[in-house]
Amino acid sequence: LKSELAAVLGAERFVVEIKTTAAMSHPHILPLFDSGTADGFLFYVMPYIQGETIREKLTRETQFGVDEAVRIAREIADALDYAHRHGVIHRDIKPENILLHDGRAMVMDFGIALAVSAAAGGRMTETGLSLGTPHYMSPEQATAEKEITARSDVYSLASVLYEMLAGQPPHVGGAAQQVIMKIITEQARPVRAIRKSVPANVDAALAKALEKLPADRFESAKAFADALGDVGFTVSGTRAHAQAGVGRARFAIAGWAAGILAALALGAGYLIGKRPADGSTAAPVQFVVELPDSITAIVRCCGPAQVLSRDGSTLVFVGMKGASGALYRRSIGKLNAELIPGTEGASVPVFNPDGTWIAFEVDGQLKKVPMGGGPVVPVATSGVTNGIAWGDDDVLTYSARSVGTNGRLWRVNSAGGKPTAVPVIDSTARYYYPFALPGGTSVLVRFLAGGTATLGQSRIGALDLATGRVDSLGFGSNAKYADGTLFFAGADGTLMVQPFDAAGRKTTGPSTAILSGVALIGNSQHSFAVSEGGWLEYQMGLGNVSEKLAMLGPAGVTQISIPGQSPEDFEDVSVSPDGRRIAATSVSKDGSGEIWLLDQTNGTFDRLTVGGGWAATWSRDGQRIAYSSGPPYEIYVRAIDQAGSPQRVLAGKNLYPTSWIPGDRTILFNADNTDSGTRWDIGTITIGDTLPRWLARSEFMEVQPQVSHDGRWLAYTSNRTGRMEVYVQPISGDAAPVQVSAEGGDSPRWSHEGRTLYYVATGGTLVGATLAMGTRVEVTARKSVSDGGVIEDLNLWSVNWDVFPDGKRFLFVDRGGVEGGRPRMVLIQNWKELARQMGSKK
């Protein structure tokens, strides 16, 4: 449990209280083995259970079968009834706290909430600490009533069952405040209105269990379970009775509203409400930024996606429409966000110091555009970047995206010129997300030292641009600065503030957590922006971007089911030559990846690699896979039956296999030979050799190479025209490349018959180009295969989709948007007062 929670509660009382709950023994309750304190933290120990939570299954399947959901709810009710008869109320029933072990429900964290409540004693209300998760809180929890009875757990269980049946909780909203207000004032929609297959008695039981007043609910969890199992159960006048309850609740809302709306701050598990200090005249105000309906995400791969002008008057963000994106501007004085013309495909925006220009990167080029209107101005070739800082000296400092090795920092004048490398003291470190400090001599960075890669290991620091010295400031995902204050996010999505001497590059006081639940983007950085003018913006962490395996075919898009418990999100997908198997990299939350094999014929899902695996590439006979592992990301080959150890084929760094040459002895690969991401080359390596043969080495980026099935033709993506386009040339190199795509394209894949080259056009549309192939290539036709926005690919070093051998079905990673709803950005006015209040309550 968080150390700040321990400080409020008192460790000794917590441990005493939790021991009183450890004696509970019930088949549907996960017991407690031990508890204690260590280094200021409170901990407790539970047995390990093989299974998944209800939340994980809901994320994967959205809804449960009706019979299954009712059975699970009755098992939970049985556990609750046992606990209630022993004087224990759970207080935090939610999908995340219920494990499914062989389909059987096991309730976790029993007694934790009671221990916290008892340990806090009379200070519970004083500190404004309210236990529960907004969507599953009972009305009495939402209004922070002191006496919580067993009927509160009944309400929470009903909310969980409602979501298992309907696919959403009874009340939803864009922020915790909205959800809680609905819980207090609005009646839940009947579940049968959403899902007609729900039996009438279940609908009636849910309606009674979700009553606003505790006295109107079931008197016990057992009574609720009995009603769920009684096909004849009805509630006479349920709806009229419920509306009367709403009316009674509204009489009290006037007294509750001010405290609730002013006190709530978003939390990741507990809600901790903080009331403004007495005498405060500038209370912080929060509100959600409305986005155009067409915007499906606020993210563009690998760096900050939103930025506030220094005075806080303007917010600029990357708005995604399916696979395509552009920059949007939202002025504080306006209601709507506006597209900034000429910024299609842009990422990592940054304001200049006076807010008159915005710089960004698109297709490996740094560009800028005046905020007052005008043409886009090119600045320099940068390669894909992990973020840009615009200093007071009018120089741009950017982190070039270098996959698998150092994220090097480069500098270029905003007026244009040749970039120069920033000197570094530690050559093993990587530097991301630079943020300019006043004066133009230093930047804040996220840095990974010694080859570390996980989010929890990343540090933030202040880097001297002249010497490359980094003063470490602690652990964090990314850092920003405003008005003597350092802002940084922890791995858990908590946003921290700390007094900071920018000139001395050092902190001058303790840190304070000001809010939780900041969205994590790309497994590496948290999404927020800050201004000197007192405005703070962050993207709400409503869930991770869903990245599931899917197939596009004649019948449309269908999800590909994964047997058993699914691992994390997927990248680098490919289909075996016979179409039976799928290889994909499963990416964990710390950014590491391993290759898994899905056999669609026998329904198995097996792990192929240990120690890292990316860019899986099938041999022509389907018996081996070439892949990249690291850092330093070298090429290996392994048999799919895992007989023998992996064989290292080519040593080096930043090497990614892409396809096999016919004969299965030679592998085509891509390499970042610059360590800066500005130039990628194409080569081949024959197994048994130590030196590669280079097929394409130029000043441009040549990425995603693919060999045709007859071995004669090479397709790849290049930025030689200033934007990404797909090209084809003989693999022998005896003819000039021919541009296949039109108006932008990337991620080529050959059809098995060899006359069609598929690629992803601007906007995410999958296009099939018909080719006439003699001594050179001629494009005779282009035809859209998808309607746009279905196929997405953000990897320069691999192709994140594939075509099945029949040429009628296409495998891809379905980035279904943010789980739990559309992306939401929150603006906070007067972050200084928020920081002061949270610091005084620490």
Side-chain angles (χ1 to χ4, degrees), residues 629-751:
S629 184
Y633 296 94
E634 301 172 316
I635 296 177
Y636 289 79
V637 169
R638 187 166 201 187
I640 63 170
D641 62 5
Q642 302 187 37
S645 300
Q647 176 187 4
R648 186 170 69 176
V649 175
L650 183 60
K653 60 183 179 180
N654 302 342
L655 308 173
Y656 298 88
T658 57
S659 61
W660 292 64
I661 307 295
D664 283 345
R665 292 188 60 249
T666 301
I667 299 168
L668 185 73
F669 68 91
N670 218 182
D672 175 9
N673 282 328
T674 62
D675 284 352
S676 66
T678 59
R679 198 190 88 194
W680 287 72
D681 298 331
I682 300 172
T684 62
I685 182 65
T686 299
I687 296 175
D689 291 349
T690 57
L691 296 177
R693 170 178 171 249
W694 296 104
L695 302 183
R697 302 186 79 177
S698 72
E699 67 273 24
F700 302 111
M701 296 173 63
E702 283 110 4
V703 296
Q704 305 168 331
Q706 296 284 312
V707 176
S708 61
H709 288 268
D710 61 7
R712 294 178 54 207
W713 303 95
L714 174 66
Y716 59 92
T717 303
S718 177
N719 66 344
R720 65 180 61 207
T721 64
R723 67 179 172 191
M724 293 298 188
E725 300 281 4
V726 174
Y727 296 85
V728 170
Q729 69 180 50
I731 198 167
S732 61
D734 55 6
V738 173
Q739 182 176 322
V740 175
S741 58
E743 304 297 327
D746 59 73
S747 309
R749 290 279 196 188
W750 289 98
S751 66

Side-chain angles (χ1 to χ4, degrees), residues 176-196:
Q177 297 96 321
Q178 295 173 347
V179 174
I180 290 175
M181 295 298 282
K182 288 182 179 181
I183 288 173
I184 297 170
T185 63
E186 294 184 10
Q187 182 68 32
R189 185 182 180 190
V191 72
R192 291 191 81 190
I194 302 174
R195 190 172 180 183
K196 298 184 184 300

Side-chain angles (χ1 to χ4, degrees), residues 363-633:
D363 289 337
Q365 303 289 317
L366 288 183
K367 298 182 179 183
K368 62 180 182 179
V369 63
M371 292 301 292
V376 173
V377 179
V379 176
T381 298
S382 62
V384 180
T385 69
N386 290 301
I388 310 169
W390 197 326
D392 291 338
D393 57 355
D394 212 25
V395 175
L396 301 176
T397 302
Y398 64 92
S399 169
R401 184 181 181 190
S402 179
V403 181
T405 187
N406 293 351
R408 292 291 303 277
L409 293 177
W410 298 77
R411 291 186 28 100
V412 64
N413 193 285
S414 66
K418 183 178 180 180
T420 58
V422 174
V424 292
I425 295 176
D426 183 358
S427 62
T428 68
R430 289 172 280 169
Y431 306 92
Y432 300 131
Y433 321 134
F435 185 91
L437 290 172
T441 61
S442 302
V443 293
L444 295 171
V445 291
R446 174 200 181 203
F447 68 99
L448 301 174
T452 58
T454 65
L455 181 63
Q457 293 171 309
S458 70
R459 290 180 172 270
I460 55 172
L463 183 142
D464 187 309
L465 292 167
T467 66
R469 173 185 167 183
V470 179
D471 295 314
S472 178
L473 304 175
F475 292 98
S477 71
N478 53 324
K480 304 181 191 300
Y481 170 85
D483 197 19
T485 305
L486 177 71
F487 291 75
F488 62 97
D492 62 353
T494 300
L495 187 61
M496 311 289 291
V497 295
Q498 192 167 12
F500 185 69
D501 176 6
R505 300 199 301 275
K506 61 182 179 181
T507 58
T508 58
S511 62
T512 300
I514 62 171
L515 58 88
S516 298
V518 180
L520 177 64
I521 304 300
N523 291 320
S524 62
Q525 58 110 10
H526 288 88
S527 185
F528 69 96
V530 66
S531 77
E532 299 277 353
W535 289 91
L536 170 67
E537 178 274 338
Y538 72 98
Q539 184 176 345
M540 292 173 60
L542 296 179
N544 293 323
V545 175
S546 175
E547 297 183 336
K548 308 300 181 184
L549 296 182
M551 181 177 66
L552 172 65
V557 175
T558 57
Q559 294 285 330
I560 295 177
S561 61
I562 306 294
Q565 183 176 353
S566 175
E568 304 293 341
D569 293 335
F570 293 107
E571 289 187 7
D572 295 359
V573 297
S574 61
V575 180
S576 64
D578 62 6
R580 286 179 49 198
R581 297 181 178 89
I582 292 172
T585 293
S586 169
V587 184
S588 64
K589 289 186 172 70
D590 65 6
S592 61
E594 299 289 355
I595 295 172
W596 290 69
L597 299 180
L598 170 65
D599 191 320
Q600 298 186 98
T601 300
N602 59 30
T604 60
F605 188 61
D606 299 316
R607 181 170 168 173
L608 179 73
T609 62
V610 176
W614 302 85
T617 304
W618 291 91
S619 61
R620 300 292 173 130
D621 63 6
Q623 299 304 306
R624 291 178 293 171
I625 282 182
Y627 64 94
S628 179
S629 184
Y633 296 94

Side-chain angles (χ1 to χ4, degrees), residues 73 76-78 80-81 84 88-93 110 136-141 148-162 170 205-211 213-225 227-228:
I76 299 168
D78 190 34
L80 290 173
D81 182 65
H84 295 162
V88 178
I89 301 171
H90 193 289
R91 300 171 182 247
D92 197 20
I93 291 293
F110 242 113
Y136 313 99
M137 276 185 177
S138 64
E140 58 268 32
Q141 277 185 295
I148 300 297
T149 70
R151 300 188 192 219
S152 177
D153 279 351
V154 171
Y155 183 99
S156 298
L157 172 56
S159 299
V160 173
L161 175 56
Y162 190 103
L206 277 172
K208 184 175 177 67
L210 291 172
E211 286 284 2
L213 296 179
D216 291 338
R217 296 179 211 139
F218 292 101
E219 67 277 11
S220 67
K222 182 180 184 303
F224 180 31
L228 291 173

